[in-house]
Every structure is written in structure tokens, then in C-alpha cells.
Amino acid sequence: MKQSDCIGCGAPVGIINRQYCCRCTARQKEAAARAACPRCGQQRVLQEDTGRCITCSRVCTTCGHPVRDKTATLCRDCSRKTERDAAKASCPRCNRPGYLREDTGWCGHFSRARQTNQPPRTCRECGRVRRHAGLGLCSACWQRHPDRPFVRAESLIAELTQPPDWLRDFAADLAAKYCVSRACTLITSLGRLRLDEQPNHPQVLLECSRRSGRSMGSLARALETFFTGYGMAMATDQAERLAAGRRQRRIDAVPETLRPSVDAFADFIMRSRERARRAGTRPRSDGTIEAALAIMRDLARFLADERGKQD
């Protein structure tokens, strides 16, 4: 009788009236015994006691996380925690579990040396016995000491990789114009501009220090005065921007029907001033132009409200 072939893999079948070989038959029986594990979702042979696969059945007795080792009862984290807890002992000072140091026999909190505060000393400026702040001075005397801006500038120079050459002169200029605390605040604000990460050209630094809005900021004003005084940078257009805003606010206050006329009048005044500048004559100042626009605003309000004229 001819031996049949397995319909699954094509291997010879040694048993009569069987369509699958031994390996395919065993594989089918194993697949029939498998089911989806409710924990991992894999097709595995489920354990009768846990209803999960063999891998998911081995869990930590403390936290319930899976344990891969057959002989382990704790996971990695719980095992390490158990080892750490076993190494702890009760501290004689605080009666709490901790790692006792060999030199003191106490836990780390009581074994570390405490930082002692500086004892009060006599201030060389006011003569009072107070906490020391710097240069032998108490805090109140140090806050108003005239050398603070220069000390702050030297600290900033030490922090920078390539400090600008004008930084000491700028600190001297601030110390001459502002109080001690204000000068130190401006030098600290200058250090926040990250001088190492951008070009230290005065014009670039002046533009970076400007704030958005109607005020350019105290630092930007101090830098502008210093740089323009030494000829290192050109003045900003802050005055022109503020003047343009004041003119626009006066135009916006005009009634809507008469506003185009006042706007055309403002353009005429500005063009006249530009022609006067080019001709070398006396151009109108911002105050004169703003006064004229304020008069036109009041006149337009009077005509619209009192006389009923809309053009």
C-alpha cells in the first residue's frame, strides 16, 4: 500500500487513514490547547490555577508586577527596596530607620556637619554689630556703598568669555548718574542680555535692550545716552515713534466725518517739515505740530457738536 503525504507540510504519514504527520498533529493539539491570555493578550497555554499564561502567572508578591525568573518572588524594584530596607537600622538620635555612618553611628542627617552662620561683627562704616555683608560692612552700609557698581561690573566681566571694552566705562557712567542700587540693577540687566551669545556691537546691543511699547526701558535709555555720547552708536528712533503716536491719538480723537480732513492736514504739515529740513530753514518741532493738531481736534469737535457741520 502506498504511503500518503501530510496535507500540512508534505511529509510522509506513518499511520493509515491519517491526513497529518506526527509533527502537524502535535502542533494542532498544542494550538487547540492555547487561548488568549487575559493579561498579555498572547496565544498561550493558560494555567489552571491563575487562568493566565506561565509568564504572567509569575508575579511579584508585593506589587503584582510580572517576574521573569522562575525562582524569584519579588520583582527588580521590590527586591532592591527590600535590600535597602534590610541595610537600614534605627538611628540612636532620631529613632528612625536609616543608613548609619561608621564614624558617628548616626544617620546621615545627624552625621553631616551643620553650616554655622557668620557671627555678627562690627561694621567698619557705621560701627554697629551686625551680620557681615561684604567688604567688612553690614547689609545697610553695603547697599549704599559707592563701589558696588564697579564690583558688579567686575563680576560680570569675570563671567563673560569676551567682555566688551566699554563695560567699565559704562559702569562708571551709571555710578555717576544713578544711585548705587539702580546702577547695580542696570548692570545686572545688561548681563541678562547674554553678551556671549550675540555680537557685542553697541548698535546691536542697543536694539536688543529696547522694550516694545511706548517706553524703551531704563537700560536702553542709559545705553543710548552712553553710546551716543562716545560716538559708538546712533540714536534710536524712539522720539519719532512717540511723536507719531501722539499725533495719531489726536487724529483719532477727531469725529469720524471730519477725520479725513484733519489727517490730510497732518500729512501736509509733515511734508512741510521735511521740505524745511532739506532747505535748511527752521522746521516745525513735534510740539508745534501736536499743538496744531490739538487745535484742529477741538475745532472739529466744536463744528460737529455745536454747529452740526460734518464736512
Side-chain angles (χ1 to χ4, degrees):
M1 185 177 179
K2 184 180 178 181
Q3 190 176 19
S4 60
D5 297 333
C6 178
I7 63 176
C9 63
V13 179
I15 301 177
I16 302 175
N17 298 330
R18 180 176 289 187
Q19 297 179 351
Y20 295 93
C21 63
C22 296
R23 292 185 178 180
C24 292
T25 303
R27 193 178 297 114
Q28 289 179 358
K29 292 181 179 180
E30 185 179 356
R34 291 183 179 182
C37 179
R39 182 161 189 170
C40 62
Q42 300 292 333
Q43 293 291 332
R44 302 288 177 83
V45 178
L46 304 184
Q47 303 296 315
E48 297 180 358
D49 53 347
T50 60
R52 293 177 289 188
C53 63
I54 186 64
T55 303
C56 296
S57 298
R58 295 193 295 264
V59 295
C60 178
T61 57
T62 302
C63 63
H65 287 180
V67 178
R68 304 192 66 88
D69 191 2
K70 297 180 180 180
T71 60
T73 58
L74 298 176
C75 62
R76 180 188 61 182
D77 296 338
C78 294
S79 178
R80 293 180 179 178
K81 184 178 180 181
T82 304
E83 293 177 358
R84 290 195 300 266
D85 293 341
K88 293 181 179 180
S90 179
C91 177
R93 293 288 300 273
C94 61
N95 294 327
R96 295 180 180 179
Y99 301 103
L100 304 184
R101 304 301 189 266
E102 296 181 358
D103 51 349
T104 60
W106 301 330
C107 62
H109 177 76
F110 290 97
S111 298
R112 288 188 293 268
R114 294 292 176 264
Q115 182 180 2
T116 57
N117 297 327
Q118 296 182 356
R121 286 179 284 178
T122 303
C123 176
R124 63 182 181 87
E125 186 72 21
C126 62
R128 299 180 181 178
V129 179
R130 292 183 175 180
R131 298 289 182 183
H132 177 75
L135 299 180
L137 304 175
C138 62
S139 178
C141 295
W142 169 247
Q143 292 294 328
R144 56 176 179 266
H145 195 272
D147 292 342
R148 277 190 61 205
F150 303 98
V151 174
R152 185 66 191 91
E154 293 297 333
S155 301
L156 181 58
I157 291 174
E159 295 174 1
L160 300 177
T161 305
Q162 295 180 353
D165 300 334
W166 45 264
L167 190 53
R168 290 187 177 88
D169 296 334
F170 179 64
D173 184 72
L174 292 178
K177 296 179 180 179
Y178 296 92
C179 65
V180 175
S181 60
R182 188 61 175 170
C184 293
T185 302
L186 293 178
I187 296 175
T188 304
S189 302
L190 179 63
R192 294 195 186 101
L193 293 179
R194 302 182 181 274
L195 301 180
D196 286 340
E197 300 180 5
Q198 62 184 1
N200 289 335
H201 192 273
Q203 192 69 41
V204 177
L205 187 61
L206 179 59
E207 294 297 332
C208 293
S209 62
R210 293 179 61 180
R211 295 180 180 177
S212 59
R214 297 177 60 180
S215 176
M216 64 187 302
S218 302
L219 178 61
R221 288 194 298 268
L223 288 173
E224 182 181 15
T225 303
F226 175 75
F227 288 151
T228 54
Y230 284 87
M232 293 187 291
M234 298 179 61
T236 60
D237 58 344
Q238 183 69 14
E240 288 78 4
R241 290 173 55 188
L242 295 179
R246 292 193 296 268
R247 293 193 299 268
Q248 189 61 40
R249 286 194 295 273
R250 284 162 174 78
I251 294 173
D252 294 339
V254 177
E256 187 175 358
T257 56
L258 300 177
R259 192 175 302 166
S261 301
V262 179
D263 196 3
F265 175 70
D267 294 339
F268 170 75
I269 294 180
M270 296 303 296
R271 290 195 301 269
S272 300
R273 185 169 73 170
E274 293 299 327
R275 288 197 301 268
R277 286 177 176 176
R278 291 193 297 267
T281 58
R282 294 182 178 181
R284 293 184 178 93
S285 63
D286 292 330
T288 302
I289 296 176
E290 293 163 11
L293 292 178
I295 294 174
M296 292 297 296
R297 176 199 60 196
D298 298 338
L299 177 60
R301 287 180 176 177
F302 173 77
L303 293 177
D305 298 339
E306 302 295 336
R307 298 296 186 227
K309 297 183 181 295
Q310 305 297 331
D311 57 4

